[in-house]
Amino acid sequence: MRALLVEDDEMIGSSLSQALEGAGWSVDWVRDGALAQSALADGGYTCALLDLGLPRQDGAEVLRRARERGDATPVLVLTARGSLDDRVLVLDLGADDYLLKPFEFRELLARMRAIVRRRDGAAHSVIGNTALQLDLTTREVLVDGQREALTQREFALLHALLERPGAILSREQLENRIYGWGEEVTSNAVDVLIHGMRRKLGPDAIRNVRGLGWRVPSR
Ligand code: CA
């Protein structure tokens, strides 16, 4: 799962991105509103964490423009501005939730899971098809009733595919979901990852569509 972190405070930004990576997220951290805007436009984020007071473009403006473009990325606003007007404003601009600074990291993770679940259209934290169910809370996959643990990258890949069973995702789309910026991605990284996962999930769990990409069966 890939998160965009928009935070101009170096201390908060670096501790948050480290903690998120420790919790299994792939994180892209940007420090101003204009960069946040272009990162969101590139797409591929499971969710975004957005500070409001930012250089170059205010967080509220980033959010307003993203929603105007039809960008549906789940957004959690992290703010020290706790007035009623501020809270109403960010929700009305299209934030999925907000969290007042300072906050507990566990609560941040829980709120991130909640907004991602809502976007997935599921009231519970399991998504999948008949053969495979992915538990977004424990990050395990259920294969024929057996729970299997997944690595961070395996989880990110399966999450992307199981959000829309049947849809074909290209190599580039999968790479965007699995790897953060600046990560070295070899040309066959996705193939190697999927090859390893087929041993865990069964040979037909993830299917290759020649020249186009990969998909999981729709049911
Ligand atoms: Ca700030």
Side-chain angles (χ1 to χ4, degrees):
M1 300 197 291
R2 199 159 161 239
L4 176 68
L5 172 63
V6 188
E7 173 60 76
D8 61 321
D9 183 299
E10 284 292 324
M11 286 260 288
I12 297 175
S14 76
S15 67
L16 262 186
S17 54
Q18 267 182 27
L20 287 167
E21 276 162 11
W25 286 83
S26 173
V27 180
D28 293 339
W29 173 21
V30 298
R31 293 160 177 79
D32 73 57
L35 286 173
Q37 196 68 252
S38 52
L40 277 172
D42 287 344
Y45 292 103
T46 314
C47 75
L49 305 176
L50 181 65
D51 180 31
L52 289 185
L54 292 168
R56 293 176 73 196
Q57 196 178 109
D58 192 70
E61 185 62 16
V62 172
L63 182 58
R64 192 182 64 74
R65 292 200 197 172
R67 294 306 189 222
E68 270 178 11
R69 278 201 316 272
D71 185 331
T73 308
V75 173
L76 178 59
V77 167
L78 307 177
T79 179
R81 301 180 198 167
S83 80
L84 178 62
D85 283 348
D86 285 323
R87 285 166 5 223
V88 169
L89 174 72
V90 295
L91 291 172
D92 281 346
L93 286 175
D96 294 83
D97 200 358
Y98 64 86
L99 197 52
L100 292 184
K101 293 174 181 171
F103 48 79
E104 292 288 333
F105 187 62
R106 278 179 54 207
E107 181 173 6
L108 174 71
L109 289 179
R111 286 187 190 266
M112 288 168 76
R113 284 197 297 271
I115 63 174
V116 171
R117 263 200 318 268
R118 259 181 266 153
R119 196 267 320 250
D120 291 342
H124 53 87
S125 61
V126 177
I127 59 170
N129 57 17
T130 19
L132 292 177
Q133 283 93 43
L134 187 65
D135 188 323
L136 302 181
T137 311
T138 64
R139 301 168 155 263
E140 293 166 321
V141 65
L142 266 143
V143 196
D144 297 331
Q146 288 281 87
R147 283 186 176 266
E148 297 271 357
L150 296 168
T151 66
Q152 178 180 333
R153 287 180 177 161
E154 289 172 344
F155 177 79
L157 184 136
L158 212 48
H159 189 209
L161 289 170
L162 286 174
E163 275 172 359
R164 283 183 301 145
I168 299 169
L169 296 188
S170 69
R171 178 182 304 277
E172 193 187 352
Q173 285 172 315
L174 287 174
E175 284 173 353
N176 277 340
R177 290 290 295 268
I178 302 167
Y179 305 100
W181 293 343
E183 268 191 85
E184 283 285 320
V185 184
T186 55
S187 60
N188 66 342
V190 171
D191 308 78
V192 172
L193 189 61
I194 289 176
H195 182 74
M197 290 174 77
R198 284 190 179 130
R199 260 177 285 155
K200 210 177 268 191
L201 308 176
D204 294 325
I206 300 172
R207 297 183 187 169
N208 182 245
V209 184
R210 195 174 287 273
L212 295 177
W214 290 268
R215 65 181 187 85
V216 294
S218 56
R219 351 169 130 233

